[in-house]
Amino acid sequence: MSLAAALAVGAAPAAQAVSIGMEGCTPGYWKNHTDSWEETTPAHLVQNLYSSAPSSVAGLTLEQALAGGGGRGVDGASTILARAAVAAWLNAAHEGLGYPWRRFATGLEGRDHLVATVNAAFASGDRATMLALAERLDADNNLGCPL
C-alpha cells in the first residue's frame, strides 16, 4: 500500500490534543514519566496503536517498545521504528505539547497523520523505509520537552 493510500484509508476520529507546534519529548522521557501519559497506559500493546506492526513488535507493551534497541534486518528496523513511533504517539496525544504530527486525519491540511504513516512504513516490510521514518520521528521527538 502506498503512503498516500494509507493516508486516505487511515482516517479516524480527530485526536483530542489540538496544539500543533515544534515540541516533542524523547522515548526516554516517556519511559521515565509514565505519569505524564494521556489516553493510554504503559501496559497497552504496540498493536493497539499501530495495527500494521509486525509480530516482532506488535505484542510488546508500550513501555517495552520505549526501551527498544535495534538490530539487523527488518525486525531490527521494526524495533527502532516502534520506539520512535510510541514516543511520537504519546507526544501527539498530550494536551501540553505542540507536536508537529497529528495521530489521525483531522482536516488540517499539510499535517502528517502519524498512525497512517507508521502503519504504511510497517506494512512496507522495507528496512530502509522504516528507518527513514524512525529517523524523522526521532528528530521530532527531540524538538524539546516542556513537560
Side-chain angles (χ1 to χ4, degrees):
M1 175 185 302
S2 74
L3 185 56
L7 290 174
V9 173
Q16 290 187 27
V18 295
S19 185
I20 299 288
M22 297 303 288
E23 298 172 330
C25 300
T26 66
Y29 172 83
W30 293 114
K31 187 174 81 168
N32 293 310
H33 294 89
T34 56
D35 57 319
S36 294
W37 291 29
E38 296 182 0
E39 300 185 35
T40 193
T41 68
H44 278 131
L45 303 179
V46 170
Q47 67 191 1
N48 296 130
L49 303 184
Y50 300 110
S51 60
S52 293
S55 60
S56 61
V57 297
L60 295 176
T61 67
L62 302 184
E63 192 168 37
Q64 289 170 326
L66 289 171
R72 295 177 176 238
V74 173
D75 285 347
S78 297
T79 300
I80 293 166
L81 178 55
R83 182 174 190 257
V86 167
W89 196 96
L90 292 167
N91 281 318
H94 199 283
E95 280 296 329
L97 287 172
Y99 195 61
W101 292 75
R102 294 295 83 212
R103 290 175 294 160
F104 309 109
T106 61
L108 297 173
E109 293 303 316
R111 294 292 172 203
D112 291 311
H113 305 131
L114 181 67
V115 171
T117 304
V118 171
N119 276 334
F122 277 140
S124 76
D126 181 68
R127 179 176 168 80
T129 298
M130 286 186 259
L131 292 178
L133 180 57
E135 184 177 331
R136 183 174 169 202
L137 293 175
D138 188 55
D140 291 336
N141 293 340
N142 279 279
L143 287 170
C145 185
L147 302 179

